[in-house]
Amino acid sequence: MDGTLRGLKRKQFYPNRKPFVRFTDSNEHGEGAIDAGGPRREFFRLALANIKESFPDGMISHDQKALQSDFYYYSGMLMVLSLAQGGPSFNSLSPILVRYFCTKCI
């Protein structure tokens, strides 16, 4: 996830362009896969799974540390990018958040 955050924070990152995904090992050697969509979908699947695993119950809920570190901002960016790029959707929002997004009431 560290590499993902570094990429999202780069000034050269353009969210309206299709990202090029390359998986590397710990020595920064690439896998050699050509990104024709499969590596990109796998990247988004892994990124969204990592977001889900960051919360004790597997659902995004209030967390002061996550709020202060912009974790919610970048998680939201990944969720939207995944949908826009044909990747998986994120289905682990707490019911309270879903209700708030839909009605603006808690």
Side-chain angles (χ1 to χ4, degrees), residues 7 21 31 50 88 94:
V21 174
E31 282 186 354
N50 187 278
S94 73

Side-chain angles (χ1 to χ4, degrees), residues 19-49:
F20 177 79
V21 174
R22 182 179 67 143
F23 290 100
T24 59
D25 62 17
S26 59
N27 295 323
E28 299 293 320
H29 295 113
E31 282 186 354
I34 296 173
D35 188 2
R40 189 171 38 253
R41 285 188 300 273
E42 177 68 1
F43 162 75
F44 283 120
R45 185 189 69 76
L46 292 171
L48 296 179

Side-chain angles (χ1 to χ4, degrees), residues 20-96:
F20 177 79
V21 174
R22 182 179 67 143
F23 290 100
T24 59
D25 62 17
S26 59
N27 295 323
E28 299 293 320
H29 295 113
E31 282 186 354
I34 296 173
D35 188 2
R40 189 171 38 253
R41 285 188 300 273
E42 177 68 1
F43 162 75
F44 283 120
R45 185 189 69 76
L46 292 171
L48 296 179
N50 187 278
I51 293 169
K52 185 176 181 176
E53 292 168 5
S54 297
F55 293 90
D57 59 357
M59 293 199 163
I60 288 186
S61 54
H62 179 71
D63 180 296
Q64 192 63 33
K65 184 178 174 186
L67 184 63
Q68 291 173 343
S69 69
D70 287 334
F71 182 79
Y72 291 125
Y73 174 79
Y74 291 109
S75 295
M77 185 183 287
L78 281 169
M79 289 177 209
V80 170
L81 285 171
S82 181
L83 289 175
Q85 300 293 335
S89 62
F90 188 79
N91 59 357
S92 294
L93 296 176
S94 73
I96 292 171

